[in-house]
Amino acid sequence: MQVVSVFCADRRSIQELEKTCIEFGKVSGAKINSAKSETLLLGHWTPTKDPLPFPIKQDFLKILVVWFGGEGAVEKSWEERLAKTKKKLGLWSLRKLTIEGKSLVLRIETLTVLQYVEQVRPEQPRTVKAITRMIFYFIWNSKMDRVKREVMFKTHDRGGKGVADIASILRGTFVCHCVRNTLRSEDESHVGFLMARFFLLPT
């Protein structure tokens, strides 16, 4: 059975979830393994007054490859994703690719994966630097750049190499995601609308 993530707003929701799991077991013959299930409390939950049927996580919980929880969840999500991306680029480095070929790999193998995380967890300045270093180490197979990065980011008709400025694209991705949520939400009290406005307002 695939991993299922469920969001419960109150005790009644948890009771309904328990009933659904029991009914599912009767129909399918499968049984939910409570010991392997995990719960992350967000907001004003009091587990002493409201005992939960599943173990409670005290730090982080991964939902669809993104970590949620207390302080450090953002860094944990990006560090894990960048480590896997760097490993994948290392395999591509074994092939004799041109700069254009490597640029294509970055757009297909790297950008799409990082954009997924960016929609949920906007990157921090330290992460932006790490992404940029990773890109150009892959391009040159060295820590030393042979051409200025500003030139590499330019399109071919402007004298550049057309390398994707992934850090800038990621920032644009998050802003577009916030704008889209704001425009789609008809209820200004909706959490998606409020979160989008929070990130879009100038600091």
Side-chain angles (χ1 to χ4, degrees):
M1 180 180 175
Q2 296 293 327
V3 176
V4 177
S5 300
V6 181
F7 293 86
C8 296
D10 48 32
R11 181 62 189 175
R12 182 179 178 183
S13 300
I14 297 176
Q15 293 173 346
E16 291 298 323
L17 174 61
E18 290 183 90
K19 291 180 182 179
T20 302
C21 292
I22 294 173
E23 292 176 358
F24 172 78
K26 292 179 180 179
V27 174
S28 64
K31 185 178 180 181
I32 303 298
N33 190 339
S34 299
K36 290 186 176 180
S37 301
E38 297 176 327
T39 303
L40 180 66
L41 302 180
L42 301 173
H44 302 288
W45 280 88
T46 52
T48 54
K49 296 181 179 179
D50 302 318
L52 302 178
F54 307 114
I56 299 176
K57 293 282 290 183
Q58 300 297 334
D59 46 9
F60 308 113
L61 181 65
K62 181 185 281 189
I63 303 176
L64 299 176
V65 309
V66 179
W67 289 96
F68 294 87
E71 185 177 354
V74 176
E75 291 79 5
K76 187 175 178 65
S77 295
W78 278 105
E79 287 173 2
E80 183 178 281
R81 192 49 42 191
L82 289 180
K84 292 184 178 181
T85 302
K86 189 179 296 184
K87 184 177 180 180
K88 185 176 292 186
L89 291 180
L91 296 176
W92 278 103
S93 297
L94 300 176
R95 305 186 182 188
K96 295 182 179 180
L97 300 175
T98 62
I99 292 179
E100 288 74 13
K102 290 182 177 181
S103 179
L104 184 61
V105 169
L106 288 171
R107 289 182 180 275
I108 297 176
E109 293 284 356
T110 303
L111 179 58
T112 53
V113 173
L114 299 184
Q115 278 181 316
Y116 175 78
V117 181
E118 178 72 18
Q119 293 184 67
V120 184
R121 294 294 195 186
E123 83 287 352
Q124 305 298 311
R126 184 176 63 179
T127 306
V128 173
K129 293 180 180 179
I131 292 173
T132 305
R133 283 197 303 268
M134 179 182 67
I135 291 172
F136 284 97
Y137 187 87
F138 173 64
I139 292 291
W140 301 118
N141 287 326
S142 170
K143 294 182 179 180
M144 184 178 296
D145 296 351
R146 301 175 187 175
V147 180
K148 288 185 177 181
R149 294 177 179 180
E150 293 79 6
V151 176
M152 296 293 291
F153 288 142
K154 291 181 179 180
T155 57
H156 291 87
D157 59 335
R158 298 181 61 187
K161 288 295 184 179
V163 175
D165 186 355
I166 291 182
S168 297
I169 295 175
L170 290 178
R171 287 192 291 270
T173 297
F174 183 72
V175 171
C176 290
H177 182 65
C178 290
V179 172
R180 184 166 57 249
N181 283 343
T182 304
L183 295 177
R184 285 181 176 177
S185 179
E186 298 179 357
D187 182 9
E188 293 190 1
S189 64
H190 188 271
V191 63
F193 179 86
L194 295 176
M195 289 299 293
R197 287 293 303 274
F198 171 79
F199 283 108
L200 288 176
L201 287 175
T203 56

